[in-house]
Amino acid sequence: QVQLVESGGGLVQPGGSLKISCEAAGSGFDINTLAWYRAPPGRQRELVAYIKGVGQTSYRDSVAGRFTNSTDKAKNTVYHQMERQKPEDTAIYYCNAFPTATLQWGQGTHVTVSA
């Protein structure tokens, strides 16, 4: 019923910025339950950020202060603005429900931070 479509990834230099999107295509889904996950090369998926409430997002320590989450209800989309990116941010970024990832995983969007 709900298809997750991530987009906006690409190559960015260290210290650069990138904004990625996750559209939840479908009806009857609360995008406030969506969280961002990422899978660094050769590693398991890890939680990046989740929405605690309206205008409130919890971030993992390694990205806090650099990443900013936002939502657009009309577009059923969540955004992730990534600033001052580091090579360790290189990963495939996914969105899914939180605290349990009950939706089918999308293809993710690849983010590569390299000079």
Side-chain angles (χ1 to χ4, degrees), residues 27-40:
S27 61
F29 186 78
D30 184 2
I31 63 171
N32 288 322
T33 66
L34 286 176
W36 284 101
Y37 303 80
R38 68 185 182 186

Side-chain angles (χ1 to χ4, degrees), residues 30-103:
D30 184 2
I31 63 171
N32 288 322
T33 66
L34 286 176
W36 284 101
Y37 303 80
R38 68 185 182 186
R43 295 169 56 185
Q44 297 269 25
R45 271 189 289 260
E46 62 187 23
L47 181 66
V48 179
Y50 68 93
I51 299 172
K52 298 167 59 177
V54 178
Q56 298 180 1
T57 302
S58 180
Y59 303 91
R60 70 183 299 114
D61 289 343
S62 60
V63 308
R66 300 189 297 114
F67 291 8
T68 303
N69 196 64
S70 61
T71 61
D72 188 333
K73 290 180 59 179
K75 297 180 179 179
N76 294 318
T77 300
V78 295
Y79 303 94
H80 215 48
Q81 179 70 42
M82 303 178 289
E83 306 281 352
R84 294 182 286 118
Q85 290 203 258
K86 303 175 180 180
E88 50 263 45
D89 293 327
T90 296
I92 306 174
Y93 284 74
Y94 302 87
C95 58
N96 213 314
F98 179 86
T100 55
T102 57
L103 303 176

